[in-house]
Amino acid sequence: MLFPIDQAPGDADRLALQICETGESVTFGQLDRRANQVARVLRGCGVARGAHVALLMKNHRRFLEACFGADRAGVYYTTISTRLMADEIAYIVRDCGARVLVVAGLDELVQPLRPLLPGDLRCFMVGTQAPGFESWEAAVDAAADSPIADPAQGLDMLYSSGTTGRPKGVKWPLPQTAAGARTMLVNLLAPLFGYGRDCRYLSPAPLYHAAPLRHCMTVIKLGGSVFVMEHFDAERSLHWIAQLRITHSQWVPTMFVRMLKLPDEVRQRHDLSSMQVAVHAAAPCPVEVKQRMLDWWGPIVFDYAGTENNGFCSITPQEWLMHPGSVGRASQGVLHICDEEGKELPAGETGLVYFSDGPVFEYHNDPDRTAQTRNAKGWSTLGDIGRLDEGGYLYLVDRRAFMIISGGVNIYPQEAESVLIGHAKVADVAVIGVPSEDLGEAVKAVVQLLDPSDAGPAMEAELLAYCKQHL
């Protein structure tokens, strides 16, 4: 067995992962053997060390088995959002140069997808079969479960959100280590969040996202048990925390908002006392939302930031209470705030967030975009706008690509979004710039209400008054 990294007697029979809704479970011994089988299938498809595979899968136990198999075969694995259209999926598959594609839970998509893919791509499907797709279960289950002859440490290559054009693969150098060795992420996340053998980790988000995938795999590598929800539901999340005695979990701020807006009697009926650490990522959490979560769950809500991992920020709940709104200090790399010309700015001034002395990444097949992330000193930025206080704590304002210029004034939509999401009747909101002959851009909010029947002129007036009061 290659995991847990620090093995102990009896580990082969301990729980590695479980799907919450179905109860389907996998022990460490089973996961080890299935990872070997996946690695053998990949080698049999001509996927050598350093090559690429793609996974287009809803949350499923074979998702993580495939990732661990690729991790063991020394290949790059790209997990693709199941919410993309066929042409967007085909672009990513072609761009990453995948030799193998595995699809699960998207039967309606495979027929329009296959003609858009390279003819020589080996395509597999979990469950029902379709023309041009082989059975993934049949291929994996028929493979020997002993290690391949040339195991090596693999790595994910995930794609950016594509908010400013086509998404791009975030590529780090492949580790030059043996399969199963401690990785940069293991060494980073374990001490920050206390992942280890006693961890019972709940993953309520799609596994194709960076944080859920990386945290799940890290927990398993360190000997903890992972519980995966097929999809997020606010009340069911509380149910699983209580029933499974979850100790650790990872969320995005929208999930916090939806749990907070459950009726009080629903929130109070679930025993959450087992929870020790709740990590949130992916987007800055509005101050009011974070404060309400701390009031409800206690001082266990941690924050951290970055898919490209050119740097890494984190903040404990105790620190956040002294620096409300901050995403923390650099726990990997060195933070800098710079103006558009790359000149470093003093504490308190707002500018582009750069990291130096962090891991090196590039955007796959896009040297121009990679170069745009660097300044003359070689520091890298993801386009976030923020400021540092005197103690080195980072406060994110927004992303440069989202900035609205209205009448010559820079407006950051995140500020308005953070206000509107706090309204009792709002489920979700996006603030955008729209063309205006007078101002260049005007600011508009697209609002999803908890109760759609509330929509109308009266609700519009109520929300505008709410903004005037709080902005």
Side-chain angles (χ1 to χ4, degrees):
M1 280 174 51
L2 294 183
F3 43 75
I5 291 172
D6 299 314
Q7 293 180 28
D11 274 346
D13 297 323
R14 291 178 53 243
L15 179 68
L17 69 98
Q18 179 175 309
I19 305 301
C20 293
E21 290 82 355
T22 66
E24 189 175 16
S25 60
V26 180
T27 66
F28 281 98
Q30 290 171 327
L31 183 58
D32 183 77
R33 293 189 293 274
R34 290 171 184 170
N36 286 336
Q37 290 175 307
V38 169
R40 285 186 173 276
V41 171
L42 296 182
R43 286 289 189 268
C45 292
V47 182
R49 185 178 187 277
H52 295 248
V53 299
L55 306 176
L56 178 66
M57 307 174 75
K58 291 190 175 181
N59 286 6
H60 192 285
R61 63 105 167 160
R62 288 191 181 266
F63 191 124
L64 287 172
E65 291 173 1
C67 289
F68 276 109
D71 211 48
R72 181 161 298 182
V75 304
Y76 285 103
Y77 46 101
T78 293
T79 58
I80 303 175
S81 170
T82 58
R83 297 181 181 274
L84 297 180
M85 303 298 288
D87 63 326
E88 297 171 310
I89 294 166
Y91 160 77
I92 291 176
V93 172
R94 288 179 175 275
D95 186 71
C96 76
R99 302 290 303 277
V100 166
L101 170 67
V102 185
V103 180
L106 297 160
D107 296 359
E108 72 288 351
L109 190 62
V110 294
Q111 187 172 354
L113 176 62
R114 189 61 185 95
L116 303 176
L117 300 172
D120 60 350
L121 177 70
R122 292 289 294 273
C123 294
F124 293 88
M125 193 171 171
V126 175
T128 56
Q129 298 305 295
F133 286 80
E134 305 171 56
S135 169
W136 181 246
E137 297 100 320
V140 172
D141 296 349
D145 61 9
S146 55
I148 58 175
D150 58 340
Q153 181 59 50
L155 188 63
D156 65 61
M157 190 182 88
L158 307 184
Y159 273 65
S160 66
S161 60
T163 51
T164 56
R166 285 288 197 182
K168 289 298 176 185
V170 179
K171 188 175 184 181
W172 303 334
L174 202 64
Q176 300 300 308
T177 60
R182 297 181 74 92
T183 62
M184 177 270 290
L185 280 174
V186 169
N187 291 332
L188 178 66
L189 298 178
L192 278 176
F193 305 124
Y195 293 153
R197 299 177 63 83
D198 297 326
C199 176
R200 295 175 65 84
Y201 176 87
L202 180 68
S203 183
L207 290 172
Y208 58 72
H209 281 304
L213 175 66
R214 292 168 178 170
H215 283 246
C216 283
M217 294 185 73
T218 296
V219 169
I220 290 172
K221 288 177 180 181
L222 291 168
S225 299
V226 166
F227 298 86
V228 177
M229 294 178 65
E230 291 181 332
H231 57 84
F232 170 74
D233 176 84
E235 184 174 356
R236 294 302 290 173
S237 297
L238 302 180
H239 164 81
W240 291 122
I241 292 172
Q243 178 165 315
L244 299 172
R245 305 306 293 163
I246 296 298
T247 61
H248 294 67
S249 54
Q250 189 269 323
W251 314 84
V252 298
T254 298
M255 295 175 176
F256 285 166
V257 170
R258 294 185 181 180
M259 290 189 289
L260 286 166
K261 290 186 177 180
L262 290 170
D264 288 344
E265 62 271 19
V266 173
R267 292 199 286 129
Q268 292 168 4
R269 77 168 61 125
H270 299 283
D271 177 9
L272 309 181
S273 60
S274 61
M275 280 282 293
Q276 300 172 16
V277 172
V279 182
H280 71 87
C285 189
V287 172
E288 181 186 0
V289 172
K290 179 76 168 277
Q291 184 64 63
R292 290 180 63 195
M293 287 303 300
L294 288 168
D295 293 342
W296 178 18
W297 284 10
I300 65 168
V301 182
F302 291 71
D303 190 0
Y304 89 101
T307 294
E308 281 84 342
N309 272 343
N310 58 327
F312 196 95
C313 287
S314 61
I315 189 168
T316 68
Q318 293 78 14
E319 288 176 301
W320 189 90
L321 289 168
M322 293 186 289
H323 304 269
S326 174
V327 296
R329 293 188 291 185
S331 39
Q332 181 169 266
V334 178
L335 274 166
H336 309 272
I337 304 297
C338 299
D339 63 17
E340 291 289 344
E341 284 70 47
K343 177 184 175 183
E344 190 160 10
L345 299 173
E349 292 197 28
T350 299
L352 279 168
V353 179
Y354 280 86
F355 278 95
S356 65
D357 305 301
V360 176
F361 78 94
E362 64 181 40
Y363 288 118
H364 185 59
N365 290 337
D366 199 336
D368 290 340
R369 186 171 173 185
T370 300
Q372 290 170 15
T373 67
R374 311 300 206 265
N375 66 8
K377 297 180 180 179
W379 303 345
S380 60
T381 181
L382 308 183
D384 290 315
I385 302 293
R387 61 180 174 83
L388 293 172
D389 65 16
E390 294 292 346
Y393 286 85
L394 175 64
Y395 297 77
L396 293 178
V397 176
D398 214 323
R399 291 187 68 90
R400 176 170 54 179
F402 299 161
M403 185 176 70
I404 301 165
I405 303 177
S406 184
V409 176
N410 292 349
I411 297 171
Y412 295 104
Q414 181 183 306
E415 181 183 6
E417 289 170 350
S418 295
V419 167
L420 280 165
I421 200 66
H423 191 283
K425 297 180 181 179
V426 174
D428 209 349
V429 59
V431 173
I432 59 174
V434 298
S436 167
E437 289 186 8
D438 181 34
L439 299 171
E441 284 186 294
V443 184
K444 297 293 181 183
V446 184
V447 178
Q448 177 190 5
L449 298 173
L450 286 170
D451 183 352
S453 67
D454 286 335
M459 187 75 253
E460 179 186 0
E462 182 178 336
L463 292 177
L464 286 171
Y466 187 79
C467 287
K468 289 178 180 178
Q469 178 184 354
H470 295 284
L471 282 172

